[in-house]
Amino acid sequence: MALKKTVTAKNGIVTEYHRIAMISVEVNQQNTILLYSYLSEDGRQIEKDYAKGKYKDIDSGLISFPYYDAQYLHPDYDGTMTIEKAYEWLKTLPEFEGAEDV
């Protein structure tokens, strides 16, 4: 799962594909979400293809990993946080309002 929405960062970089890379629940303390935002869905596809063994030329410099912006977010504590709940929470943020599930 991921979200698709054009978002312009404070530094002017425009990203349009956003996925949760990690969720951490510190019991009775806090939740942390690590969000990766890619320039496009194509960047994420390169990572998926690499994981499947499709690319063998990365070490020789013939292909490079895609750019992504990583940010840690801290929703209110929820001891039953799930990936689905985390994506729903993201869609409550102004920058992800109206985002499409992909």
Side-chain angles (χ1 to χ4, degrees):
M1 182 175 190
L3 298 178
K4 191 168 191 175
K5 174 142 191 225
T6 301
V7 175
T8 304
K10 291 178 184 177
N11 64 4
I13 300 285
V14 177
T15 56
E16 69 172 38
Y17 185 85
H18 316 273
R19 75 173 181 97
I20 293 174
M22 182 209 64
I23 296 174
S24 173
V25 178
E26 295 178 47
V27 179
N28 296 323
Q29 297 295 316
Q30 71 175 355
N31 292 38
T32 303
I33 297 170
L34 174 57
L35 182 70
Y36 287 175
S37 295
Y38 298 81
L39 300 177
S40 70
E41 193 169 351
D42 294 340
R44 175 63 178 138
Q45 189 60 50
I46 290 170
E47 289 181 335
K48 288 178 182 179
D49 291 345
Y50 175 74
K52 291 179 182 176
K54 183 175 179 180
Y55 299 115
K56 308 230 184 285
D57 297 328
I58 289 181
D59 292 334
S60 62
L62 297 177
I63 187 167
S64 58
F65 281 106
Y67 169 86
Y68 62 85
D69 177 53
Q71 59 180 316
Y72 289 96
L73 304 168
H74 301 281
D76 290 337
Y77 177 73
D78 178 351
T80 62
M81 178 61 78
T82 64
I83 294 170
E84 292 80 11
K85 284 183 179 181
Y87 276 109
E88 289 304 313
W89 177 80
L90 283 173
K91 292 191 284 187
T92 69
L93 301 177
E95 61 266 38
F96 294 108
E97 184 178 334
E100 173 188 353
D101 291 333
V102 290

